Amino acid sequence: MMNFILYSDIGESTIDKSLGLPEYSYYFVLKAFRTVLAELGTVTLVRHPETEVDPLFEECRQRGEECVFLSFSPPNKTQIDLECPTVSVFAWEYSNIPDEMWDDDIRNDWRVVFARHGRAITLSSYTARVVKEAMGAAFPVLAAPAPLWEQFAGARSRFGAKLPPGESVLQLRGTVIDSHLLGLSADGLIAHITFPEAEDEEELLSPPRAPAPEPASELPPQLAPEPQVQPESVAPAKNLRYRLAVTKRHLLTWYREALRDLLPLWLARAVAVSGRSGNAMARAIMGYERRTAPQLELPVEPPQSPALPPAQPEPPPVPVIEPGQVLEPEAVVNLDGVVYTSILSPKDGRKNWFDMVTAFCWTFRDVEDATLVLKMNERDLSRYHNTLLTLLSQLAPFKCRVLTLHAYLDDPTYEELIGATSYYVNTSLCEGLCLPLMEFMCCGKPVIAPQHTAMEDYIDDRAAFVIKSGLEHNVWPNDPRDLFRTLRYRLDWESICTAYKDSYRIAKQQPETYLEMSRHAMARLESFSSGAVVKEQLRSFFQQAGAAR
């Protein structure tokens, strides 16, 4: 009897609050492996491995049963002093593993961790090769992807090997940023940098609304009347209120981008509270309260003889809503045309989403029915809102559509997004696995992606428009010294544009080619990430480890 103890730093109850945090995707990897491991033995989840694992191991030992602790974490965050046999299950996307110590933590040298554990499980053959290069060819390391195939059987039955729908509707809770509704202009960058606290400044700095479009003329073009010349918009007067508003916005941007994350939590909260109080005082001084409804003067009643008021029932208590319980606003998203989707953390530089967006807006600057959906995995909208709007303003004007979803998607909504998508897009500089890319391919979606690092296991030119790439120097992401010790990949930007053009042409003009790519994507993922395949890999790995002992 085999017993598996599983751990991930992020659990079921906190995943929706952990978007964008380091290693948040390890929860999804654990969730995928859990089902397969349950077919090989018993599975127990722990939250505090330093205190929970060894007692469970002792119970198994007394029953004469085997036990292993699988830590779905980077090696430098995995326990190395437990009695229970321990294996780190991890993703890694660089050309070598950290082999130096810093901050007086020996676990930062991954060779120490692997030597203590005696074996490892990686999520790609690329990472397995890197580990063997550091530990020796005989070191036992398994390359096993997250088994996702069976998880998307329902979505695959609805969307697989089918042409994407002409129109789709998504209903979600969150914030939607639609480039078609922003009035983007490189001359109005300041106008697009808005914050919730700056309601009055928005009126001062935002450009005037565009006039309503004239009804379409039924006359032929040569007989249609000449369009009326619209007067040029007048820039807002740079009076005192305008200058104060601009100053406030730049100060807020500087504080949020450069200082806030460095402050202790208690101090950041105190600054936020004091900022709101100061804002209210400033509004009063500047006379903003005059915009509120005037108070009616009621006639003064003559004094009455004192009398006890009749007893009134106490009002029901006002329910207190915790910050975590506040629901995001509901939003309806309409999608049509050729839809490209990518799911990423905007703070993760490896995702290289600037190249993705700039190539898209350049390639489709004159194409109205091309849409790029960016599903951002980040809790705080202010951490990328200004960056996104500035980038889009610099790229304007363009006729294509960039749609940003700042929301946590539950499983049904996520599957609807897959169904509405024509192509998944990945422009990463390196990947440890890329679960969303695999999930969309499981449902028959062709992709645009490079064929490097972990993606070399399942990306080929029959299911993907492959982006060209080449090596460049970089640093280990967990190394605070920022020393150039490793390599990653740089993408060919023109190759991204070519992939967009070719994929659009096939979606619009070659449906049979699209369906063939869809079928091959599913076949590729079934042979790579099905539960049956991964289960046999795990069974063989643990049997060999047991025989070695």
Side-chain angles (χ1 to χ4, degrees), residues 450-464:
Q451 194 178 19
H452 61 53
T453 55
M455 293 181 289
E456 68 184 23
D457 283 337
Y458 56 92
I459 291 295
D460 60 40
D461 57 8
R462 294 181 59 192

Side-chain angles (χ1 to χ4, degrees), residues 243-323:
R243 298 178 191 276
L244 289 175
V246 172
T247 301
K248 174 183 175 182
R249 289 196 177 180
H250 282 291
L251 286 174
L252 281 170
T253 303
W254 172 83
Y255 167 71
R256 288 175 171 166
E257 297 293 332
L259 184 61
R260 181 170 61 180
D261 61 331
L262 301 177
L263 300 179
L265 183 59
W266 65 268
L267 181 56
R269 288 176 174 172
V271 171
V273 172
S274 62
R276 286 191 290 269
S277 301
N279 184 57
M281 182 178 298
R283 289 165 62 87
I285 293 174
M286 296 296 293
Y288 287 145
E289 275 64 28
R290 68 178 180 271
R291 299 185 183 185
T292 61
Q295 300 292 325
L296 297 178
E297 296 185 4
L298 300 177
V300 179
E301 296 288 341
Q304 303 290 332
S305 58
L308 294 177
Q312 297 291 335
E314 293 187 3
V318 178
V320 179
I321 301 178
E322 298 294 333

